[in-house]
Amino acid sequence: MQPTILVVEDESAIREMLQFPLTNAGFVVQEAADVHHAKALIYNNFPDLILLDWMLPEISGIDFARQLKKDAKTQHIPIIILTARGEEEDKIRGFDVGADDYITKPFSPRELIARIKAVLRRVSKHGEILVVKDLKLNPTEHRVMVGETEVEIGPTEFRLLHFFLQNRERVYSREQVLDHVWGANIYIEERTVDVHIRRLRKALAPYNYDSFVQTVRGVGYRFTEKN
Ligand code: CA
């Protein structure tokens, strides 16, 4: 199936400039000139990726990205932010809202397509269903199932479990867990990790998976299938 790319950009010249190369690269292109229209398209037909302009009327691209990343229904849709500014601070802000990449105008369609493909590759790997015995974590549906039962799990514990399932048997320090699960730019105390590990074990306990999350004394944590 051809991936759908939603272009959210108020300047029609840029939307037109992108239409041909994106279609030619095998994408289905949808266009929105403002956030209102973009929302309607997103909730109707979840696109595979959103190209989001920074400078939009009313709501900025950054604020819109933040909204999308907060909503469980849309947070898994990758976003590439288009920006005319190049300052480092802006780039960092772009990542803080959870944008998957950004590209500074003017850019060549070729460069843009390469970036889109790289993000889609990363995400499809990220969207892979992870399985341990009868426990399944589905990143796209944001669900953890044990057999037919859905595990009640908070968003942070979900991310923790996702990270552990992708990196089984490896030991991580609290600092490494923070960097991977919360992001390197965020300042959080290391004992926050312990709090969420406890919650994760509690969520898994009814299904006897809590013991898979091991404390490695003096080092940190590990998810193991060998117990
Ligand atoms: Ca614009």
Side-chain angles (χ1 to χ4, degrees), residues 81-147:
I81 293 191
L82 307 176
T83 170
R85 311 177 190 173
E87 295 95 20
E88 213 57 40
E89 190 201 339
D90 291 344
K91 291 175 184 174
I92 290 162
R93 280 180 60 198
F95 282 112
D96 276 349
V97 299
D100 298 82
D101 202 355
Y102 63 89
I103 190 161
T104 309
K105 292 179 196 169
F107 51 83
S108 72
R110 215 173 131 175
E111 185 190 357
L112 177 68
I113 286 160
R115 298 280 196 97
I116 291 174
K117 286 184 175 168
V119 170
L120 289 176
R121 264 198 306 275
R122 211 159 67 211
V123 173
S124 77
K125 209 177 145 217
H126 193 76
E128 200 184 322
I129 295 173
L130 300 162
V131 181
V132 194
K133 302 189 179 182
D134 65 345
L135 180 143
K136 276 192 190 131
L137 181 145
N138 185 327
T140 318
E141 293 179 5
H142 213 268
R143 247 189 246 264
V144 180
M145 304 289 290
V146 173

Side-chain angles (χ1 to χ4, degrees), residues 144-198:
V144 180
M145 304 289 290
V146 173
E148 298 296 306
T149 315
E150 185 169 352
V151 177
E152 266 190 57
I153 188 166
T156 305
E157 290 71 41
F158 183 91
R159 290 210 307 277
L160 252 179
L161 183 61
H162 192 195
F163 170 69
F164 279 136
L165 291 179
Q166 286 173 311
N167 300 283
R168 295 168 212 193
E169 311 302 338
R170 284 189 56 181
V171 183
Y172 289 93
S173 68
R174 288 169 178 78
E175 194 188 345
Q176 286 172 322
V177 173
L178 275 179
D179 284 356
H180 287 285
V181 178
W182 277 263
N185 308 326
I186 294 169
Y187 181 75
I188 295 174
E189 286 183 58
E190 290 189 3
R191 64 195 167 96
T192 306
V193 176
D194 303 334
V195 172
H196 289 281
I197 290 276
R198 271 202 298 281

Side-chain angles (χ1 to χ4, degrees), residues 8-11 14 53-57 105:
V8 188
E9 162 67 89
D10 55 319
E11 285 161 75
I14 294 179
D53 186 37
W54 179 296
M55 299 297 277
L56 291 170
K105 292 179 196 169

Side-chain angles (χ1 to χ4, degrees), residues 9-29:
E9 162 67 89
D10 55 319
E11 285 161 75
S12 61
I14 294 179
R15 293 202 309 272
E16 276 160 32
M17 189 249 315
L18 294 174
Q19 177 78 43
F20 177 74
L22 288 176
T23 309
N24 206 35
F27 300 115
V28 175
V29 182

